[in-house]
Amino acid sequence: MKKILYTVSAIALILGSSLYFSTSTSIKAATETDALEKEVYIRDASYATFPDIEALENAADVIAEVKFSGKRETKVWEFEEGDTYTNSITNVEVKKVHKGEVSKGDEIEVYEPAYINENGFYSIEGYNLMDKKGKYLLYLRTKKDGNYSVLGLYQGKYDLNETSTLKELKKFRSYEDVQDREYLGDEVEHFNQLKKENLKKYTQ
């Protein structure tokens, strides 16, 4: 599994700090098909760890069940220092609200800490993008631009249609081998614990 480190500026943006950036551009996102035969790059970042879903619930501005609409762009920020940071911005339809100022039927845009380009699939801490098959429970924070970001990276997104327990990720050759896997990182035990709590609370 390839890993490359983010700059300090990018890490701070992930955590929601109010860094100044000079410009941002949005481009049409590459499709999963574009990356199937490409390599996967897992990037490290500093991020808050939530011990249980109660901690996630307390920290989230919005908790909602959503479906991916199929619309996604890649957004690139350029900072004063010349650094760049890239995320996907994904359109989802709200299906059910558990917390926050959104309503069923709303379409909202969510920053996801992963993206696909012509070179491959890039992820922060093993986050994998939402797809049309999933029904996702999201823990979200409100951004200054009115959009939302996933809280705690991999800790803030769960496919409620997927009930199996994740196993440790073995070696793989390309994104095609892992595209359907809910989480690609190393914290599998923690992810499984949180997923179990979420399934128990939100699907029964």
Side-chain angles (χ1 to χ4, degrees):
M1 190 184 304
K2 290 197 173 183
K3 293 193 176 185
I4 44 183
L5 295 178
Y6 268 113
T7 64
V8 174
S9 296
I11 293 171
L13 182 65
I14 294 163
L15 298 177
S17 299
S18 55
L19 284 176
Y20 176 82
F21 55 89
S22 55
T23 59
S24 65
T25 51
S26 292
I27 56 176
K28 185 177 179 180
T31 65
E32 290 184 6
T33 303
D34 295 330
L36 285 182
E37 310 247 335
K38 305 292 185 179
E39 291 191 85
V40 175
Y41 299 86
I42 309 292
R43 299 181 173 186
D44 298 326
S46 296
Y47 61 97
T49 301
F50 297 90
D52 49 40
I53 66 169
E54 182 179 1
L56 279 164
E57 288 167 340
N58 290 335
D61 297 317
V62 170
I63 304 171
E65 296 175 29
V66 308
K67 290 284 288 184
F68 174 41
S69 72
K71 293 183 283 187
R72 174 178 286 132
E73 291 187 334
T74 300
K75 191 157 187 175
V76 182
W77 290 267
E78 183 175 343
F79 294 87
E80 279 190 319
E81 301 84 1
D83 293 332
T84 60
Y85 173 66
T86 306
N87 251 190
S88 292
I89 183 163
T90 300
N91 184 282
V92 299
E93 181 182 352
V94 177
K95 296 296 186 180
K96 190 173 183 179
V97 180
H98 299 287
K99 178 183 178 181
E101 300 299 317
V102 295
S103 300
K104 182 179 178 181
D106 285 352
E107 287 200 4
I108 61 174
E109 292 189 313
V110 176
Y111 290 112
E112 293 193 89
Y115 65 95
I116 297 170
N117 67 19
E118 65 277 6
N119 297 316
F121 177 79
Y122 294 80
S123 168
I124 304 173
E125 292 294 338
Y127 184 97
N128 202 0
L129 294 167
M130 290 182 274
D131 61 35
K132 288 185 177 180
K133 295 179 290 186
K135 175 180 145 186
Y136 296 97
L137 177 72
L138 300 182
Y139 292 85
L140 301 172
R141 276 189 172 153
T142 307
K143 306 298 289 182
K144 289 184 178 180
D145 61 4
N147 295 324
Y148 300 87
S149 62
V150 178
L151 180 64
L153 304 175
Y154 72 88
Q155 302 165 99
K157 175 183 68 72
Y158 302 93
D159 186 350
L160 298 180
N161 290 339
E162 181 56 67
T163 59
S164 59
T165 300
L166 277 186
K167 299 186 183 301
E168 293 288 339
L169 186 61
K170 304 297 183 182
K171 290 183 179 180
F172 56 89
R173 293 177 298 175
S174 68
Y175 186 57
E176 183 174 20
D177 296 330
V178 294
Q179 64 171 325
D180 294 326
R181 185 179 169 91
E182 191 172 0
Y183 167 58
L184 309 179
D186 298 327
E187 299 296 330
V188 174
E189 184 176 348
H190 185 219
F191 177 85
N192 282 333
Q193 172 211 326
L194 294 173
K195 179 68 179 284
K196 183 178 179 181
E197 292 178 32
N198 278 291
L199 289 174
K200 182 177 180 180
K201 179 165 185 176
Y202 291 106
T203 63
Q204 295 182 3

